[in-house]
Amino acid sequence: MKDIVIQVEHVSKMYRIGQLGHGTLQKDLQSFWARLWKREDPNTLLEMNGQGGGKPGNGRFLALDDVSFEICRGESVGIIGRNGAGKSTLLKILSRIVTPEKGLIRMRGRISSLLEVGTGFHPEQSGRDNIYLNGGILGMKRHEIKRYFDEIVEFSEIGEFIDTPIKRYSSGMKIRLAFSIAAHFLAEIVILDEVLAVGDHFFQQKCMNKMEQLLKNEGRTLLFVSHSMPSVQRMCQRGLFLDHGHLLMDAPINEVAAAYHQQHLQSNHSAASINQQSDAA
């Protein structure tokens, strides 16, 4: 029998343009301050420029539309699509940051998510304190966190700054620490959203080697979003291809990458044709 750890059934997520209720407190506050100071809402600008599956200008759009799939224990799955395809929305739903409009989600096991630089960190606390904070959020005991503490610091390469407040860290330092925490703590499901693009090349390779080790030896389940096809093809065996909120394809990663590449070529060809017609006119 399949050992299913993630089951997504007919999940949809709808956003309202220009109104409170974007799904996260950060976006709600952005929209509130924009309206208060009579400025353009940054979230509305994103959504009105086609960053979703609905029709621009109707006040609502579907970031995800009737998405269904299953993931088994130990699978590494790449989620592929253009900007606005719904990839980050899907990962936020799976990470329990936002709730779906419709559908059912079943998950088995603890989840460690890296969605944005600094997510889950308290900026006023030191790196040391944030390691214990993140471990506690994942449900680990203090003695478990202490057991892995030295390994986390060593892997992150920020040893001399471990007692410095996180707000002093560069984005690369935050990513190194965040990835090290996610890799060493005992979460069965690891979710990564484009975060490795922030680190330098050598640390990216180090992270990929670590994830390959975890997938091979410890049976972790990985959901990985990246616009770097070589990275996705290296890390994942299976791919989900999203486009405007729809799941277009669920297949081996090389087949999905080829379909994505073909879509990119067709899009560029269409854009070139429009430019030629405009120049001729």
Side-chain angles (χ1 to χ4, degrees), residues 97-117:
I97 294 174
V98 300
T99 56
E101 218 75 30
K102 298 179 181 178
L104 179 65
I105 297 174
R106 297 185 180 93
M107 303 186 71
R108 294 171 52 206
R110 289 183 288 189
I111 304 169
S112 180
S113 301
L114 281 173
L115 303 182
E116 297 176 8
V117 177

Side-chain angles (χ1 to χ4, degrees), residues 54 62 68 72 88 90 94 106 130 170 240 263:
L62 279 171
S68 299
C72 296
S88 294
L90 175 59
L94 294 176
R106 297 185 180 93
N130 274 283
S170 67
L240 303 177
Q263 184 197 60

Side-chain angles (χ1 to χ4, degrees), residues 27-42:
K27 286 190 175 183
D28 286 351
L29 290 174
Q30 286 177 341
S31 297
F32 172 77
W33 285 110
R35 295 174 64 186
L36 182 64
W37 293 100
K38 298 182 179 179
R39 296 174 180 172
E40 292 180 311
D41 186 344

Side-chain angles (χ1 to χ4, degrees), residues 7-276:
Q7 187 174 20
V8 176
E9 297 181 356
H10 306 291
V11 166
S12 297
K13 177 61 181 178
M14 180 177 290
Y15 287 103
R16 296 186 298 275
I17 296 176
Q19 300 180 30
L20 294 181
H22 294 288
T24 66
L25 179 60
Q26 179 185 5
K27 286 190 175 183
D28 286 351
L29 290 174
Q30 286 177 341
S31 297
F32 172 77
W33 285 110
R35 295 174 64 186
L36 182 64
W37 293 100
K38 298 182 179 179
R39 296 174 180 172
E40 292 180 311
D41 186 344
N43 298 310
T44 300
L45 290 175
L46 272 175
E47 295 156 6
M48 289 292 287
N49 282 315
Q51 302 289 323
K55 296 180 179 180
N58 65 358
R60 296 171 181 266
F61 81 97
L62 279 171
L64 291 175
D65 187 6
D66 197 30
V67 172
S68 299
F69 59 87
E70 294 177 346
I71 297 177
C72 296
R73 186 179 307 279
E75 278 195 291
S76 53
V77 181
I79 302 177
I80 297 173
R82 302 178 66 182
N83 289 332
K87 305 183 301 297
S88 294
T89 297
L90 175 59
L91 294 191
K92 287 177 181 178
I93 289 174
L94 294 176
S95 302
R96 302 188 182 99
I97 294 174
V98 300
T99 56
E101 218 75 30
K102 298 179 181 178
L104 179 65
I105 297 174
R106 297 185 180 93
M107 303 186 71
R108 294 171 52 206
R110 289 183 288 189
I111 304 169
S112 180
S113 301
L114 281 173
L115 303 182
E116 297 176 8
V117 177
T119 300
F121 284 149
H122 191 300
E124 300 295 334
Q125 299 296 322
S126 67
R128 181 186 303 275
D129 293 335
N130 274 283
I131 290 175
Y132 281 93
L133 174 63
N134 276 260
I137 291 172
L138 288 174
M140 297 184 67
K141 305 295 185 182
R142 188 173 181 85
H143 69 86
E144 292 179 305
I145 301 171
K146 191 174 182 179
R147 173 186 171 188
Y148 290 99
F149 183 87
D150 290 340
E151 294 180 33
I152 291 170
V153 175
E154 181 180 357
F155 188 91
S156 67
E157 302 175 2
I158 60 168
E160 61 182 316
F161 304 107
I162 194 62
D163 290 311
T164 301
I166 287 288
K167 66 181 180 181
R168 309 289 185 195
Y169 286 15
S170 67
S171 58
M173 292 172 68
K174 291 177 183 177
I175 284 298
R176 291 201 296 272
L177 182 58
F179 182 89
S180 186
I181 291 171
H184 287 84
F185 284 166
L186 303 178
E188 292 83 4
I189 301 169
V190 179
I191 297 176
L192 304 178
D193 183 5
E194 205 60 83
V195 292
L196 298 185
V198 179
D200 59 70
H201 173 74
F202 296 104
F203 191 77
Q204 288 179 30
Q205 296 304 310
K206 182 178 179 180
C207 291
M208 289 184 183
N209 292 337
K210 181 66 174 179
M211 286 307 306
E212 287 175 335
Q213 176 188 343
L214 294 174
L215 291 169
K216 181 179 180 180
N217 299 331
E218 300 186 20
R220 304 279 184 98
T221 303
L222 172 66
L223 279 75
F224 183 42
V225 167
S226 176
H227 289 288
S228 171
M229 286 302 104
S231 297
V232 176
Q233 289 175 281
R234 173 182 170 180
M235 297 290 294
C236 305
Q237 289 80 45
R238 176 183 165 197
L240 303 177
F241 184 8
L242 291 175
D243 183 57
H244 290 88
H246 300 279
L247 180 58
L248 296 185
M249 191 174 183
D250 180 353
I253 189 62
N254 290 335
E255 295 179 22
V256 173
Y260 175 73
H261 181 64
Q262 184 64 31
Q263 184 197 60
H264 180 68
L265 291 177
Q266 291 175 350
S267 177
N268 287 344
H269 179 72
S270 298
S273 299
I274 292 173
N275 289 335
Q276 290 175 359

